[in-house]
Coordinates of all heavy atoms in Angstrom, one line a residue:
M32 N -51.5 -47.2 -22.5 CA -52.6 -46.3 -22.6 C -52.5 -45.5 -24.0 O -53.0 -44.5 -24.1 CB -52.5 -45.2 -21.5 CG -52.6 -45.8 -20.1 SD -54.0 -46.6 -19.5 CE -55.3 -45.5 -19.5
L33 N -51.8 -46.1 -24.9 CA -51.7 -45.5 -26.2 C -53.0 -45.5 -26.9 O -53.8 -46.4 -26.8 CB -50.7 -46.2 -27.1 CG -49.2 -46.2 -26.6 CD1 -48.4 -47.1 -27.5 CD2 -48.7 -44.8 -26.6
G34 N -53.3 -44.3 -27.5 CA -54.6 -44.2 -28.2 C -55.7 -43.8 -27.3 O -56.9 -43.7 -27.9
K35 N -55.5 -43.6 -26.1 CA -56.6 -43.1 -25.2 C -57.0 -41.7 -25.5 O -56.1 -40.8 -25.6 CB -56.2 -43.3 -23.7 CG -57.4 -42.9 -22.8 CD -57.0 -42.9 -21.3 CE -58.1 -42.4 -20.5 NZ -57.8 -42.3 -19.1
K36 N -58.3 -41.5 -25.6 CA -58.8 -40.1 -25.8 C -59.0 -39.5 -24.4 O -59.7 -40.1 -23.6 CB -60.1 -40.2 -26.6 CG -60.0 -40.8 -28.0 CD -59.3 -39.8 -28.9 CE -59.2 -40.5 -30.3 NZ -58.6 -39.7 -31.3
Y37 N -58.5 -38.3 -24.2 CA -58.7 -37.6 -23.0 C -59.7 -36.5 -23.2 O -59.8 -35.9 -24.2 CB -57.4 -36.9 -22.5 CG -56.3 -37.9 -22.0 CD1 -55.3 -38.3 -22.9 CD2 -56.4 -38.4 -20.7 CE1 -54.3 -39.2 -22.4 CE2 -55.4 -39.3 -20.3 CZ -54.4 -39.7 -21.1 OH -53.5 -40.6 -20.7
L38 N -60.5 -36.3 -22.1 CA -61.5 -35.2 -22.1 C -60.7 -33.9 -21.9 O -59.6 -33.9 -21.4 CB -62.5 -35.4 -21.0 CG -63.4 -36.6 -21.1 CD1 -64.2 -36.7 -19.8 CD2 -64.2 -36.6 -22.3
E39 N -61.3 -32.8 -22.4 CA -60.6 -31.5 -22.2 C -60.4 -31.2 -20.8 O -59.3 -30.6 -20.4 CB -61.4 -30.4 -22.9 CG -60.6 -29.2 -23.1 CD -61.3 -28.2 -24.1 OE1 -62.5 -28.2 -24.3 OE2 -60.5 -27.4 -24.7
C40 N -61.3 -31.5 -19.9 CA -61.1 -31.2 -18.5 C -59.9 -32.0 -17.9 O -59.2 -31.5 -17.0 CB -62.4 -31.4 -17.7 SG -63.0 -33.1 -17.7
E41 N -59.7 -33.2 -18.4 CA -58.6 -34.0 -17.9 C -57.2 -33.4 -18.4 O -56.2 -33.4 -17.7 CB -58.7 -35.5 -18.4 CG -59.8 -36.3 -17.8 CD -60.0 -37.6 -18.5 OE1 -59.8 -37.8 -19.7 OE2 -60.3 -38.6 -17.7
I42 N -57.2 -32.9 -19.6 CA -56.0 -32.3 -20.2 C -55.7 -31.0 -19.4 O -54.5 -30.8 -19.0 CB -56.2 -32.0 -21.7 CG1 -56.3 -33.2 -22.5 CG2 -55.0 -31.1 -22.2 CD1 -56.8 -33.0 -23.9
I43 N -56.7 -30.2 -19.0 CA -56.5 -29.0 -18.3 C -55.9 -29.4 -16.9 O -55.0 -28.7 -16.4 CB -57.8 -28.2 -18.2 CG1 -58.1 -27.6 -19.6 CG2 -57.7 -27.1 -17.2 CD1 -59.5 -27.0 -19.7
T44 N -56.5 -30.4 -16.3 CA -56.0 -30.8 -14.9 C -54.5 -31.3 -15.0 O -53.7 -30.9 -14.1 CB -56.9 -31.9 -14.4 OG1 -58.2 -31.4 -14.3 CG2 -56.4 -32.3 -13.0
K45 N -54.2 -32.0 -16.0 CA -52.8 -32.5 -16.2 C -51.8 -31.4 -16.4 O -50.7 -31.4 -15.9 CB -52.7 -33.5 -17.3 CG -53.4 -34.9 -17.0 CD -53.2 -35.8 -18.2 CE -53.9 -37.1 -17.8 NZ -53.1 -37.9 -16.9
V46 N -52.2 -30.4 -17.2 CA -51.4 -29.2 -17.5 C -51.1 -28.5 -16.2 O -50.0 -28.1 -15.9 CB -52.0 -28.3 -18.6 CG1 -51.2 -27.0 -18.7 CG2 -51.9 -29.0 -19.9
L47 N -52.2 -28.2 -15.4 CA -52.1 -27.4 -14.2 C -51.2 -28.2 -13.2 O -50.4 -27.6 -12.4 CB -53.4 -27.1 -13.6 CG -54.3 -26.1 -14.4 CD1 -55.7 -26.0 -13.8 CD2 -53.6 -24.8 -14.4
R48 N -51.3 -29.5 -13.1 CA -50.5 -30.3 -12.2 C -49.0 -30.3 -12.6 O -48.1 -30.5 -11.8 CB -51.0 -31.7 -12.1 CG -52.2 -31.8 -11.2 CD -52.5 -33.3 -10.9 NE -52.9 -33.8 -12.2 CZ -53.3 -35.1 -12.4 NH1 -53.2 -36.0 -11.4 NH2 -53.7 -35.5 -13.5
S49 N -48.7 -30.1 -13.9 CA -47.4 -30.2 -14.4 C -46.6 -28.9 -14.2 O -45.4 -28.9 -14.5 CB -47.4 -30.7 -15.8 OG -47.9 -29.6 -16.7
L50 N -47.2 -27.8 -13.9 CA -46.6 -26.5 -13.8 C -45.6 -26.5 -12.6 O -45.9 -27.1 -11.5 CB -47.6 -25.4 -13.6 CG -48.5 -25.2 -14.8 CD1 -49.6 -24.2 -14.5 CD2 -47.7 -24.8 -16.1
T51 N -44.5 -25.8 -12.7 CA -43.5 -25.6 -11.7 C -44.0 -24.7 -10.6 O -45.0 -24.0 -10.7 CB -42.2 -25.2 -12.2 OG1 -42.4 -23.9 -12.8 CG2 -41.6 -26.2 -13.2
S52 N -43.2 -24.5 -9.5 CA -43.6 -23.7 -8.4 C -43.8 -22.2 -8.7 O -44.5 -21.5 -8.1 CB -42.6 -23.9 -7.2 OG -41.3 -23.4 -7.7
K53 N -43.0 -21.7 -9.7 CA -43.2 -20.3 -10.0 C -44.6 -20.0 -10.7 O -45.0 -18.9 -10.8 CB -42.1 -19.8 -10.9 CG -42.0 -20.4 -12.3 CD -40.8 -19.8 -13.1 CE -40.7 -20.4 -14.5 NZ -39.6 -19.9 -15.2
W54 N -45.3 -21.0 -11.1 CA -46.6 -20.9 -11.7 C -47.7 -21.2 -10.6 O -48.9 -21.2 -11.0 CB -46.8 -21.8 -12.8 CG -45.9 -21.5 -14.0 CD1 -44.6 -21.9 -14.2 CD2 -46.2 -20.8 -15.1 NE1 -44.1 -21.5 -15.3 CE2 -45.1 -20.8 -16.0 CE3 -47.3 -20.1 -15.6 CZ2 -45.0 -20.1 -17.2 CZ3 -47.3 -19.4 -16.8 CH2 -46.2 -19.4 -17.6
L55 N -47.3 -21.4 -9.4 CA -48.3 -21.9 -8.4 C -49.4 -20.9 -8.2 O -50.6 -21.3 -8.1 CB -47.6 -22.2 -7.1 CG -48.4 -22.7 -6.0 CD1 -49.0 -24.1 -6.4 CD2 -47.6 -22.9 -4.7
S56 N -49.1 -19.6 -8.1 CA -50.2 -18.6 -7.9 C -51.2 -18.6 -9.0 O -52.4 -18.5 -8.8 CB -49.6 -17.2 -7.6 OG -48.8 -16.8 -8.7
M57 N -50.7 -18.7 -10.2 CA -51.6 -18.7 -11.4 C -52.4 -20.0 -11.4 O -53.6 -19.9 -11.7 CB -50.7 -18.5 -12.7 CG -51.6 -18.4 -13.9 SD -52.6 -16.9 -13.8 CE -53.6 -17.1 -15.3
A58 N -51.8 -21.1 -11.2 CA -52.5 -22.3 -11.2 C -53.6 -22.3 -10.1 O -54.8 -22.7 -10.4 CB -51.6 -23.5 -10.9
N59 N -53.3 -21.8 -8.9 CA -54.4 -21.7 -7.9 C -55.5 -20.7 -8.3 O -56.7 -21.0 -8.1 CB -53.7 -21.2 -6.6 CG -52.9 -22.2 -5.9 OD1 -53.1 -23.4 -6.2 ND2 -52.0 -21.8 -5.1
A60 N -55.2 -19.6 -8.9 CA -56.2 -18.7 -9.4 C -57.1 -19.3 -10.4 O -58.3 -19.1 -10.4 CB -55.5 -17.4 -10.0
I61 N -56.5 -20.1 -11.3 CA -57.3 -20.8 -12.4 C -58.2 -21.8 -11.7 O -59.4 -21.9 -12.1 CB -56.4 -21.4 -13.4 CG1 -55.7 -20.3 -14.2 CG2 -57.2 -22.4 -14.3 CD1 -54.7 -20.8 -15.2
V62 N -57.7 -22.6 -10.8 CA -58.5 -23.7 -10.2 C -59.6 -23.1 -9.3 O -60.7 -23.7 -9.3 CB -57.6 -24.6 -9.3 CG1 -58.4 -25.5 -8.4 CG2 -56.6 -25.4 -10.2
E63 N -59.4 -22.0 -8.7 CA -60.5 -21.3 -7.9 C -61.4 -20.5 -8.8 O -62.4 -20.0 -8.3 CB -59.8 -20.5 -6.8 CG -59.1 -21.3 -5.8 CD -58.3 -20.5 -4.8 OE1 -58.3 -19.2 -4.9 OE2 -57.6 -21.1 -4.0
G64 N -61.1 -20.4 -10.0 CA -62.0 -19.5 -10.9 C -63.3 -20.2 -11.3 O -63.5 -21.4 -11.2
V65 N -64.2 -19.4 -11.7 CA -65.6 -19.8 -12.0 C -65.6 -20.8 -13.2 O -66.3 -21.8 -13.2 CB -66.4 -18.6 -12.3 CG1 -67.8 -19.0 -12.8 CG2 -66.5 -17.6 -11.1
H66 N -64.8 -20.5 -14.2 CA -64.8 -21.3 -15.4 C -64.3 -22.7 -15.1 O -64.8 -23.7 -15.7 CB -64.0 -20.7 -16.6 CG -64.6 -19.4 -17.1 ND1 -65.8 -19.4 -17.7 CD2 -64.2 -18.1 -17.0 CE1 -66.1 -18.1 -18.1 NE2 -65.1 -17.3 -17.6
Y67 N -63.3 -22.8 -14.3 CA -62.7 -24.1 -14.0 C -63.7 -24.9 -13.1 O -64.0 -26.1 -13.3 CB -61.4 -24.0 -13.2 CG -60.7 -25.3 -12.9 CD1 -60.0 -26.0 -13.9 CD2 -60.9 -25.9 -11.7 CE1 -59.4 -27.2 -13.6 CE2 -60.3 -27.1 -11.4 CZ -59.6 -27.8 -12.3 OH -59.0 -29.0 -12.1
Q68 N -64.3 -24.2 -12.2 CA -65.3 -24.9 -11.2 C -66.5 -25.4 -12.0 O -67.1 -26.4 -11.7 CB -65.7 -23.9 -10.1 CG -64.6 -23.5 -9.2 CD -64.1 -24.6 -8.3 OE1 -64.9 -25.5 -8.0 NE2 -62.8 -24.6 -8.0
S69 N -67.0 -24.6 -13.0 CA -68.2 -25.0 -13.7 C -67.9 -25.9 -14.8 O -68.8 -26.5 -15.5 CB -68.9 -23.7 -14.2 OG -68.1 -23.1 -15.2
G70 N -66.6 -26.1 -15.2 CA -66.2 -27.1 -16.2 C -66.3 -26.4 -17.6 O -66.3 -27.2 -18.6
T71 N -66.4 -25.1 -17.7 CA -66.5 -24.5 -19.0 C -65.1 -23.9 -19.5 O -65.1 -23.3 -20.6 CB -67.5 -23.3 -18.9 OG1 -67.1 -22.3 -17.9 CG2 -68.9 -23.8 -18.6
L72 N -64.1 -24.1 -18.7 CA -62.7 -23.7 -19.2 C -62.2 -24.5 -20.3 O -62.2 -25.8 -20.2 CB -61.8 -23.7 -18.0 CG -60.3 -23.2 -18.3 CD1 -60.3 -21.7 -18.6 CD2 -59.4 -23.5 -17.1
T73 N -61.9 -23.9 -21.4 CA -61.3 -24.7 -22.5 C -59.8 -24.6 -22.5 O -59.2 -23.8 -21.8 CB -61.8 -24.1 -23.9 OG1 -61.2 -22.8 -24.0 CG2 -63.3 -24.1 -23.9
F74 N -59.2 -25.6 -23.2 CA -57.7 -25.6 -23.2 C -57.2 -24.3 -23.9 O -56.1 -23.8 -23.4 CB -57.2 -26.8 -24.0 CG -55.7 -26.9 -24.1 CD1 -55.0 -27.3 -23.0 CD2 -55.1 -26.6 -25.3 CE1 -53.6 -27.3 -23.1 CE2 -53.7 -26.6 -25.4 CZ -53.0 -27.0 -24.2
D75 N -57.8 -23.8 -24.8 CA -57.4 -22.5 -25.5 C -57.4 -21.4 -24.5 O -56.5 -20.5 -24.5 CB -58.2 -22.2 -26.7 CG -57.9 -23.1 -27.9 OD1 -56.8 -23.7 -27.9 OD2 -58.8 -23.3 -28.7
Q76 N -58.4 -21.3 -23.6 CA -58.5 -20.3 -22.6 C -57.4 -20.4 -21.6 O -56.8 -19.5 -21.2 CB -59.9 -20.3 -21.9 CG -61.0 -19.9 -22.7 CD -62.3 -20.1 -22.1 OE1 -62.5 -21.0 -21.3 NE2 -63.3 -19.3 -22.4
L77 N -57.1 -21.7 -21.2 CA -56.0 -21.9 -20.2 C -54.7 -21.5 -20.8 O -53.9 -20.9 -20.2 CB -56.0 -23.4 -19.9 CG -54.8 -23.9 -19.1 CD1 -54.9 -23.3 -17.7 CD2 -54.7 -25.4 -19.0
R78 N -54.5 -21.9 -22.1 CA -53.2 -21.5 -22.7 C -53.1 -20.0 -22.8 O -52.0 -19.5 -22.6 CB -53.2 -22.2 -24.1 CG -52.0 -22.0 -24.9 CD -52.0 -22.7 -26.2 NE -50.9 -22.4 -27.0 CZ -50.8 -21.5 -28.0 NH1 -51.9 -20.8 -28.2 NH2 -49.7 -21.3 -28.6
G79 N -54.1 -19.3 -23.2 CA -54.1 -17.9 -23.2 C -53.8 -17.2 -21.9 O -53.0 -16.3 -21.8
N80 N -54.4 -17.8 -20.8 CA -54.1 -17.3 -19.5 C -52.7 -17.5 -19.1 O -52.0 -16.6 -18.5 CB -55.0 -17.9 -18.4 CG -56.5 -17.5 -18.5 OD1 -56.8 -16.4 -19.1 ND2 -57.4 -18.3 -18.0
L81 N -52.1 -18.6 -19.4 CA -50.7 -18.9 -19.0 C -49.8 -18.1 -19.8 O -48.7 -17.6 -19.3 CB -50.5 -20.4 -19.2 CG -51.2 -21.4 -18.3 CD1 -50.9 -22.8 -18.7 CD2 -50.9 -21.1 -16.9
I82 N -50.0 -17.9 -21.1 CA -49.2 -17.0 -21.9 C -49.2 -15.6 -21.4 O -48.1 -15.0 -21.3 CB -49.6 -17.1 -23.4 CG1 -49.2 -18.5 -24.0 CG2 -48.9 -16.0 -24.2 CD1 -49.7 -18.8 -25.4
T83 N -50.4 -15.1 -21.1 CA -50.5 -13.7 -20.6 C -49.7 -13.6 -19.3 O -49.0 -12.6 -19.1 CB -51.9 -13.4 -20.4 OG1 -52.6 -13.5 -21.6 CG2 -52.1 -11.9 -19.9
Y84 N -49.9 -14.6 -18.4 CA -49.1 -14.5 -17.1 C -47.6 -14.5 -17.3 O -46.9 -13.8 -16.7 CB -49.6 -15.8 -16.3 CG -48.9 -15.8 -14.9 CD1 -49.3 -15.0 -13.9 CD2 -47.9 -16.8 -14.7 CE1 -48.7 -15.1 -12.7 CE2 -47.2 -16.8 -13.5 CZ -47.7 -16.0 -12.5 OH -47.0 -16.1 -11.2
E85 N -47.2 -15.4 -18.3 CA -45.8 -15.4 -18.5 C -45.2 -14.1 -19.1 O -44.2 -13.7 -18.7 CB -45.5 -16.6 -19.6 CG -44.0 -16.7 -19.9 CD -43.8 -17.8 -20.9 OE1 -44.7 -18.0 -21.8 OE2 -42.8 -18.5 -20.8
M86 N -46.0 -13.5 -20.0 CA -45.5 -12.3 -20.6 C -45.5 -11.1 -19.7 O -44.7 -10.2 -19.8 CB -46.3 -12.0 -21.9 CG -46.1 -12.9 -23.0 SD -47.1 -12.8 -24.4 CE -47.5 -11.1 -24.6
T87 N -46.5 -11.1 -18.7 CA -46.6 -9.9 -17.8 C -45.9 -10.1 -16.5 O -44.9 -9.4 -16.2 CB -48.1 -9.6 -17.6 OG1 -48.7 -10.7 -17.1 CG2 -48.8 -9.1 -18.8
I88 N -46.3 -11.1 -15.7 CA -45.8 -11.2 -14.4 C -44.4 -11.8 -14.4 O -43.5 -11.3 -13.7 CB -46.7 -12.2 -13.6 CG1 -48.2 -11.6 -13.5 CG2 -46.2 -12.4 -12.1 CD1 -48.3 -10.2 -13.0
L89 N -44.1 -12.9 -15.1 CA -42.8 -13.5 -15.0 C -41.7 -12.6 -15.6 O -40.6 -12.5 -15.1 CB -42.8 -14.8 -15.7 CG -43.6 -15.9 -15.0 CD1 -43.5 -17.2 -15.8 CD2 -43.3 -16.1 -13.6
D90 N -42.1 -11.9 -16.7 CA -41.1 -11.0 -17.3 C -40.8 -9.8 -16.4 O -39.7 -9.3 -16.3 CB -41.6 -10.5 -18.7 CG -41.4 -11.5 -19.7 OD1 -40.7 -12.5 -19.5 OD2 -42.0 -11.3 -20.8
Q91 N -41.8 -9.3 -15.6 CA -41.6 -8.2 -14.7 C -40.7 -8.6 -13.6 O -39.9 -7.8 -13.1 CB -42.9 -7.7 -14.1 CG -43.7 -6.9 -15.1 CD -45.1 -6.5 -14.6 OE1 -45.4 -6.8 -13.4 NE2 -45.9 -5.8 -15.3
N92 N -40.8 -9.8 -13.1 CA -40.0 -10.3 -12.0 C -38.6 -10.7 -12.4 O -37.8 -11.0 -11.6 CB -40.7 -11.5 -11.3 CG -41.9 -11.1 -10.6 OD1 -42.1 -9.9 -10.3 ND2 -42.8 -12.0 -10.4
G93 N -38.3 -10.7 -13.7 CA -37.0 -11.1 -14.2 C -36.7 -12.5 -14.2 O -35.6 -13.0 -14.4
E94 N -37.7 -13.4 -14.0 CA -37.5 -14.8 -13.9 C -37.4 -15.4 -15.3 O -36.9 -16.5 -15.4 CB -38.6 -15.5 -13.1 CG -38.7 -15.1 -11.7 CD -39.8 -15.7 -10.9 OE1 -40.4 -16.7 -11.5 OE2 -40.1 -15.3 -9.8
N95 N -38.0 -14.8 -16.3 CA -38.1 -15.4 -17.6 C -37.1 -14.7 -18.6 O -37.3 -14.9 -19.8 CB -39.5 -15.3 -18.1 CG -39.8 -16.3 -19.2 OD1 -39.1 -17.3 -19.3 ND2 -40.7 -16.0 -20.0
K96 N -36.2 -13.9 -18.1 CA -35.3 -13.2 -19.0 C -34.3 -14.2 -19.6 O -33.8 -15.1 -19.0 CB -34.5 -12.1 -18.3 CG -35.4 -11.0 -18.0 CD -34.6 -9.9 -17.4 CE -35.5 -8.7 -17.1 NZ -34.8 -7.6 -16.4
K97 N -34.1 -14.1 -20.9 CA -33.1 -14.9 -21.6 C -31.7 -14.4 -21.3 O -31.5 -13.2 -21.3 CB -33.4 -15.0 -23.1 CG -34.7 -15.6 -23.4 CD -34.9 -15.6 -24.9 CE -36.2 -16.2 -25.3 NZ -36.5 -16.2 -26.7
K98 N -30.8 -15.4 -21.1 CA -29.4 -15.0 -20.8 C -28.8 -14.6 -22.2 O -29.0 -15.3 -23.2 CB -28.7 -16.1 -20.2 CG -29.2 -16.4 -18.8 CD -28.4 -17.6 -18.2 CE -29.0 -17.8 -16.8 NZ -28.3 -19.0 -16.2
S99 N -28.0 -13.6 -22.2 CA -27.3 -13.2 -23.4 C -25.8 -13.5 -23.2 O -25.3 -13.4 -22.1 CB -27.6 -11.7 -23.7 OG -27.1 -10.9 -22.7
L100 N -25.2 -13.7 -24.3 CA -23.8 -14.1 -24.3 C -23.0 -12.9 -24.9 O -23.3 -12.6 -26.1 CB -23.6 -15.3 -25.1 CG -22.2 -15.8 -25.2 CD1 -21.7 -16.3 -23.8 CD2 -22.1 -17.0 -26.2
P101 N -22.2 -12.2 -24.2 CA -21.4 -11.1 -24.7 C -20.4 -11.7 -25.7 O -19.7 -12.7 -25.5 CB -20.7 -10.5 -23.5 CG -20.7 -11.5 -22.5 CD -21.8 -12.4 -22.7
L102 N -20.3 -11.0 -26.8 CA -19.3 -11.5 -27.9 C -18.3 -10.4 -28.1 O -18.6 -9.2 -28.1 CB -20.0 -11.8 -29.2 CG -21.1 -12.8 -29.1 CD1 -21.9 -12.9 -30.4 CD2 -20.5 -14.2 -28.7
K103 N -17.0 -10.8 -28.3 CA -16.0 -9.8 -28.6 C -16.1 -9.3 -30.0 O -16.4 -10.1 -30.9 CB -14.6 -10.4 -28.4 CG -14.2 -10.5 -27.0 CD -12.7 -11.0 -26.9 CE -12.3 -11.0 -25.5 NZ -10.8 -11.3 -25.4
A104 N -15.9 -8.1 -30.2 CA -16.0 -7.5 -31.5 C -14.5 -7.1 -31.9 O -13.8 -6.6 -31.1 CB -16.8 -6.3 -31.6
S105 N -14.2 -7.4 -33.1 CA -12.9 -7.0 -33.6 C -13.1 -6.3 -34.9 O -14.0 -6.6 -35.7 CB -12.0 -8.3 -33.8 OG -12.6 -9.1 -34.8
S106 N -12.2 -5.4 -35.2 CA -12.3 -4.7 -36.4 C -11.0 -4.9 -37.2 O -9.9 -4.8 -36.7 CB -12.5 -3.2 -36.2 OG -11.4 -2.6 -35.5
Q107 N -11.2 -5.2 -38.5 CA -10.1 -5.3 -39.4 C -10.4 -4.5 -40.6 O -11.5 -4.5 -41.1 CB -9.9 -6.8 -39.8 CG -9.6 -7.7 -38.6 CD -9.5 -9.2 -39.1 OE1 -9.8 -9.5 -40.2 NE2 -9.0 -10.0 -38.3
E108 N -9.4 -3.9 -41.1 CA -9.6 -3.1 -42.3 C -9.5 -4.0 -43.5 O -8.6 -4.8 -43.6 CB -8.5 -2.0 -42.4 CG -8.7 -0.9 -41.4 CD -7.7 0.2 -41.6 OE1 -7.3 0.4 -42.8 OE2 -7.4 0.9 -40.6
E109 N -10.5 -3.9 -44.3 CA -10.5 -4.8 -45.5 C -9.8 -4.1 -46.6 O -9.7 -2.8 -46.7 CB -12.0 -5.0 -45.9 CG -12.8 -5.8 -44.9 CD -14.2 -6.1 -45.3 OE1 -14.5 -5.9 -46.5 OE2 -15.0 -6.5 -44.5
E110 N -9.3 -4.9 -47.5 CA -8.6 -4.3 -48.7 C -9.7 -3.6 -49.5 O -10.8 -4.1 -49.7 CB -8.0 -5.4 -49.5 CG -6.9 -6.1 -48.8 CD -6.3 -7.2 -49.6 OE1 -6.5 -7.2 -50.9 OE2 -5.6 -8.1 -49.1
S111 N -9.4 -2.4 -49.9 CA -10.4 -1.6 -50.7 C -10.4 -2.2 -52.1 O -9.4 -2.5 -52.8 CB -10.0 -0.2 -50.7 OG -8.8 0.0 -51.3
D112 N -11.7 -2.4 -52.6 CA -11.8 -2.8 -54.0 C -11.8 -1.6 -54.9 O -12.2 -0.5 -54.5 CB -13.2 -3.5 -54.1 CG -13.3 -4.8 -53.3 OD1 -12.3 -5.4 -53.1 OD2 -14.4 -5.1 -52.9
E113 N -11.3 -1.8 -56.1 CA -11.2 -0.8 -57.0 C -12.5 -0.8 -57.9 O -13.0 -1.9 -58.2 CB -10.0 -0.9 -57.9 CG -8.7 -0.6 -57.1 CD -7.5 -0.6 -57.9 OE1 -7.6 -0.5 -59.2 OE2 -6.4 -0.7 -57.4
N114 N -12.9 0.4 -58.3 CA -14.1 0.5 -59.2 C -13.6 0.1 -60.6 O -12.4 -0.1 -60.8 CB -14.7 1.9 -59.2 CG -15.3 2.2 -57.9 OD1 -15.7 1.3 -57.1 ND2 -15.5 3.5 -57.6
D115 N -14.5 0.0 -61.5 CA -14.2 -0.4 -62.9 C -13.3 0.6 -63.5 O -12.5 0.3 -64.4 CB -15.5 -0.5 -63.7 CG -16.3 -1.7 -63.2 OD1 -15.7 -2.7 -62.6 OD2 -17.5 -1.7 -63.5
D116 N -13.4 1.9 -63.2 CA -12.6 2.9 -63.8 C -11.3 3.2 -63.1 O -10.6 4.1 -63.4 CB -13.4 4.2 -64.0 CG -13.9 4.7 -62.7 OD1 -13.6 4.1 -61.6 OD2 -14.6 5.7 -62.7
G117 N -11.0 2.4 -62.0 CA -9.7 2.5 -61.4 C -9.7 3.3 -60.1 O -8.6 3.5 -59.5
E118 N -10.8 4.0 -59.8 CA -10.8 4.9 -58.6 C -11.1 4.0 -57.4 O -11.8 3.1 -57.4 CB -11.9 6.0 -58.7 CG -11.6 6.9 -59.9 CD -12.6 8.0 -60.0 OE1 -13.4 8.1 -59.0 OE2 -12.7 8.6 -61.0
E119 N -10.5 4.4 -56.2 CA -10.7 3.7 -55.0 C -12.0 4.3 -54.3 O -12.3 5.5 -54.5 CB -9.6 3.8 -54.0 CG -8.3 3.1 -54.5 CD -7.2 3.2 -53.5 OE1 -7.4 3.5 -52.4 OE2 -6.1 2.9 -53.9
D120 N -12.7 3.5 -53.5 CA -13.8 3.9 -52.8 C -13.4 4.9 -51.7 O -12.4 4.7 -51.0 CB -14.6 2.8 -52.1 CG -15.3 1.9 -53.1 OD1 -15.5 2.3 -54.3 OD2 -15.6 0.7 -52.8
K121 N -14.2 5.9 -51.4 CA -13.9 6.9 -50.4 C -14.6 6.5 -49.1 O -15.8 6.0 -49.2 CB -14.3 8.3 -50.8 CG -13.5 8.8 -52.0 CD -13.9 10.2 -52.3 CE -13.0 10.7 -53.5 NZ -13.4 12.1 -53.8
D122 N -14.0 6.6 -48.0 CA -14.6 6.3 -46.7 C -15.6 7.5 -46.4 O -15.2 8.7 -46.6 CB -13.6 6.2 -45.5 CG -12.8 4.9 -45.7 OD1 -13.2 4.0 -46.4 OD2 -11.7 4.9 -45.2
F123 N -16.7 7.2 -45.8 CA -17.6 8.2 -45.5 C -17.4 8.6 -44.1 O -17.2 8.0 -43.2 CB -19.1 7.8 -45.7 CG -19.4 7.6 -47.1 CD1 -20.7 7.0 -47.4 CD2 -18.6 8.0 -48.2 CE1 -21.0 6.9 -48.8 CE2 -19.0 7.8 -49.5 CZ -20.2 7.2 -49.8

């Protein structure tokens, strides 16, 4: 099927079918929406709806939080450099 041109409605259907279960409520809302039913939903509108849903609902539920890795901090005193006139830098 290389080189096959897909209609925009086919692309939208494929994207909605490929979403995981945490997106199920949003996918159902889009499919039941007026724009999807009438065939006027564009891919850009779908993408915007999905991004908005991800930023608001998924972030609020804590499902989309990135895991952070705690790093150990160490402090070492560096050798103080001398200025051109021989004076040492003062600590603030």
Side-chain angles (χ1 to χ4, degrees):
M32 305 295 298
L33 295 175
K35 179 182 178 187
K36 300 285 182 179
Y37 290 98
L38 298 174
E39 192 163 28
C40 62
E41 292 174 323
I42 294 171
I43 291 170
T44 303
K45 287 180 181 287
V46 168
L47 290 174
R48 281 188 294 178
S49 69
L50 296 174
T51 60
S52 61
K53 68 181 178 181
W54 294 85
L55 185 61
S56 61
M57 185 61 185
N59 287 338
I61 291 171
V62 169
E63 294 172 1
V65 175
H66 293 292
Y67 183 83
Q68 295 290 330
S69 65
T71 59
L72 181 67
T73 64
F74 180 74
D75 289 336
Q76 290 171 332
L77 173 67
R78 184 174 174 265
N80 288 340
L81 295 175
I82 289 172
T83 302
Y84 180 76
E85 180 182 34
M86 289 173 36
T87 56
I88 304 301
L89 294 182
D90 283 345
Q91 286 177 0
N92 293 339
E94 294 179 12
N95 198 26
K96 289 185 179 178
K97 294 181 180 179
K98 294 181 181 178
S99 62
L100 181 66
L102 302 174
K103 282 188 174 183
S105 63
S106 62
Q107 296 178 350
E108 292 186 25
E109 297 181 13
E110 297 178 18
S111 60
D112 294 332
E113 293 186 13
N114 291 341
D115 292 336
D116 56 4
E118 295 180 15
E119 293 184 15
D120 293 339
K121 293 182 180 181
D122 292 334
F123 291 174

